[in-house]
Amino acid sequence: MIERGAESSQAKRQGMSVTDRYSRQILFAPIGREGQEKLRQAKIVIIGCGALGTSQANLLARAGVGAIRIVDRDYVEESNLQRQMLFEEADAARKLPKAVAAEEKLKRINSDVQIEAIVADARSGNIEEFTSGCDLVLDGTDNFETRYLLNDVAVKHGLPWIYGAVVASYGLTLTIVPEHTACLACVFPEPPGGIHETCDTVGVIGAAAGWVTAIQVSEALKILLGRREELHGTLLSYDLWTNRRQGVEARRQSGCRTCVARDFVYLERESASRVSMCGRNSVQIHQRQPRPVNLGVLKTRLSNFGPVQANQHLVQCRVGDYELTVFPDGRAIIKGTQDPALARSLYARYIGS
Amino acid sequence: MITIEINGDSRQVPDRMTLTALLEWLKIPRDRVAVERNLEIVPKGDWDTVVVAERDRLEIVHFIGGGR
């Protein structure tokens, strides 16, 4: 467990005063001294520490949020460095878990802040443990399934959470305050099926992630300071390349399965996908609900990443040290690992989940 | 044909289409978007019955799952 607002930090030993450190933020009238103290007392959790999670953690640790818990299942790779702002070349060379690399960096940025790194895949069986004791949840995930799980856990426990996602130059965000605003399922009742565009297939620019996290973090500060009337209240998107912004009013839906009927299907079932070991050094990912995959489209997409073989029954692609074999019902076998979390991650990156 | 506005652009589309039919006509998968019509989000349950009319202003917001 981490303590809120620790007293004997490196910063204090070095004689840094709270007033100096946060002076520009305290001068900002909606925060002030009182707000700064509220931030010091706050505890948040960031689920997923990639382009979104690193940027959120960076901004919130610098802002002096007292305690930050970071949950991530991956390790740092060279291709992360273009946008995942807490990581350095040495982290990739050491293949450090992202949560651990983030913790090291954040402690150097602001030793006042209590950082708790958790290297884990957020699942229905552990998510309530990760969110417990926190004032809000920030979405830094890379897949739909975990976001519906976050929506369930947040609504169930009345915990605000801030959805944010990014692909290519496009970002999208929605702030959810259970009982007060629409939840994710009010706007999008179900996660999309089939193959999705992801940052690993169509790319992403760091600035688009930065736009999303600027909104998410501003909303987080408003919530932590009790200024909910200043939340933007919309499903908000921006494409930084086409310069098109959309802000559509998100309303609670009387028929919402999650926030009205309180049917928490993602939290209550084991998971949408089952992972099982299959043979030596490979993991199978099996969808509980078949989600048909167009093999032709997948073949074209995967051919950007490595040699692809395909027939009417499957598509197989070699990506780095791994071999991905995908079947028309969405089932996949990931060869080259025995780690279910890594297999899920590769699935999310190249097939989408 | 009628003229409507989709994401800020003027478009000619067939008359008397439901939102479901319009999305099919635009080749947009219905599980990937939220649709606002004349400044109000249309619940997915109403897409089969809401008919698109001349001068409607639609915002079609694409749902994404990336974030790494």
Side-chain angles (χ1 to χ4, degrees):
Chain A
M1 283 301 292
I2 51 178
E3 302 292 322
R4 293 168 191 240
E7 292 304 323
S8 63
S9 69
Q10 183 78 19
K12 290 224 170 58
R13 286 195 296 278
Q14 289 174 356
M16 286 185 198
S17 82
V18 169
T19 313
D20 280 348
R21 172 162 212 141
Y22 303 112
S23 61
R24 301 307 185 271
Q25 194 167 277
I26 289 170
L27 275 171
F28 177 61
I31 297 182
R33 274 176 199 284
E34 196 184 323
Q36 193 61 49
E37 177 56 23
K38 279 186 187 164
L39 295 181
R40 192 182 73 86
Q41 294 291 331
K43 180 169 171 180
I44 62 140
V45 59
I46 294 173
I47 308 289
C49 195
L52 299 175
T54 53
S55 176
Q56 295 156 6
N58 180 45
L59 290 165
L60 289 167
R62 287 181 193 274
V65 166
I68 301 176
R69 177 181 286 158
I70 297 171
V71 181
D72 192 278
R73 64 186 175 187
D74 270 332
Y75 60 88
V76 182
E77 295 171 81
E78 192 181 7
S79 66
N80 301 153
L81 303 180
Q82 158 256 355
R83 64 196 179 284
Q84 299 183 17
M85 63 165 59
L86 293 177
F87 306 139
E88 301 171 6
E89 291 171 2
D91 301 325
R94 289 193 290 163
K95 294 191 186 300
L96 271 189
K98 288 183 174 179
V100 173
E103 178 185 27
E104 285 185 4
K105 181 76 174 204
L106 291 166
K107 283 182 167 167
R108 290 199 297 272
I109 290 171
N110 189 347
S111 55
D112 279 342
V113 177
Q114 298 297 298
I115 307 290
E116 182 184 14
I118 297 176
V119 182
D121 194 15
R123 319 287 311 148
S124 56
N126 58 22
I127 190 71
E128 287 177 290
E129 183 190 329
F130 297 155
T131 55
S132 76
C134 292
D135 301 306
L136 70 82
V137 182
L138 274 158
D139 172 13
T141 66
D142 63 356
N143 65 86
F144 288 109
E145 188 187 335
T146 312
R147 290 186 168 103
Y148 280 83
L149 182 63
L150 290 184
N151 193 53
D152 274 6
V153 76
V155 171
K156 180 178 172 187
H157 296 287
L159 199 57
W161 81 282
I162 306 170
Y163 159 80
V166 62
V167 165
S169 57
Y170 176 79
L172 180 68
T173 180
L174 177 72
T175 303
I176 293 111
V177 181
E179 305 281 330
H180 296 278
T181 68
C183 78
L184 184 67
C186 289
V187 183
F188 298 107
E190 301 283 345
I195 308 167
H196 314 299
E197 292 184 338
T198 74
C199 299
D200 293 274
T201 57
V202 296
V204 60
I205 56 170
W211 178 83
V212 173
T213 58
I215 306 289
Q216 286 180 299
V217 166
S218 305
E219 295 280 279
L221 293 176
K222 294 171 196 172
I223 290 170
L224 295 175
L225 297 173
R227 303 178 70 99
R228 290 182 182 178
E229 65 286 358
E230 287 156 345
L231 296 171
H232 62 70
T234 59
L235 176 68
L236 188 61
S237 75
Y238 201 101
D239 188 316
L240 276 78
W241 221 254
T242 64
N243 310 306
R244 188 139 211 291
R245 175 189 182 281
Q246 293 173 301
V248 308
E249 196 183 332
R251 293 212 183 131
R252 287 192 81 185
Q253 296 299 329
S254 57
C256 179
R257 180 185 64 209
T258 310
C259 73
V260 176
R262 300 185 69 79
D263 181 10
F264 304 121
V265 290
Y266 294 89
L267 193 55
E268 278 153 19
R269 72 185 173 199
E270 200 171 298
S271 73
S273 60
R274 272 183 311 197
V275 171
S276 53
M277 309 308 293
C278 68
R280 265 164 43 98
N281 209 26
S282 54
V283 175
Q284 174 176 259
I285 296 185
H286 200 103
Q287 302 299 321
R288 282 183 189 275
Q289 301 275 329
R291 40 177 298 244
V293 164
N294 181 325
L295 294 184
V297 173
L298 188 65
K299 180 188 170 193
T300 309
R301 168 191 289 197
L302 290 177
S303 62
N304 294 322
F305 307 105
V308 174
Q309 289 187 300
N311 58 33
Q312 70 203 86
H313 305 293
L314 61 87
V315 174
Q316 193 171 74
C317 178
R318 183 128 207 118
V319 182
D321 297 335
Y322 310 104
E323 183 186 86
L324 280 62
T325 306
V326 186
F327 302 89
D329 63 355
R331 186 169 61 87
I333 293 173
I334 318 288
K335 255 190 208 166
T337 180
Q338 289 188 298
D339 177 358
L342 175 62
R344 272 185 205 286
S345 172
L346 290 164
Y347 192 97
R349 286 157 65 176
Y350 294 105
I351 298 144
S353 66
Chain B
M1 300 291 270
I2 55 171
T3 304
I4 62 171
E5 194 181 296
I6 301 175
N7 292 358
D9 294 328
S10 183
R11 293 282 298 263
Q12 295 269 313
V13 303
D15 199 2
R16 295 171 193 276
M17 280 201 295
T18 62
L19 268 184
T20 296
L22 175 71
L23 290 172
E24 275 172 24
W25 190 80
L26 293 168
K27 297 190 170 59
I28 295 174
R30 62 182 281 140
D31 60 357
R32 306 287 171 97
V33 291
V35 179
E36 183 196 63
R37 175 174 178 250
N38 304 329
L39 304 178
E40 265 188 48
I41 282 203
V42 184
K44 282 209 170 160
D46 296 346
W47 287 7
D48 288 344
T49 50
V50 169
V51 175
V52 180
E54 177 80 28
R55 285 194 296 277
D56 269 0
R57 294 173 61 188
L58 303 184
E59 286 290 338
I60 300 177
V61 183
H62 284 263
F63 190 23
I64 51 166
R68 280 170 51 84

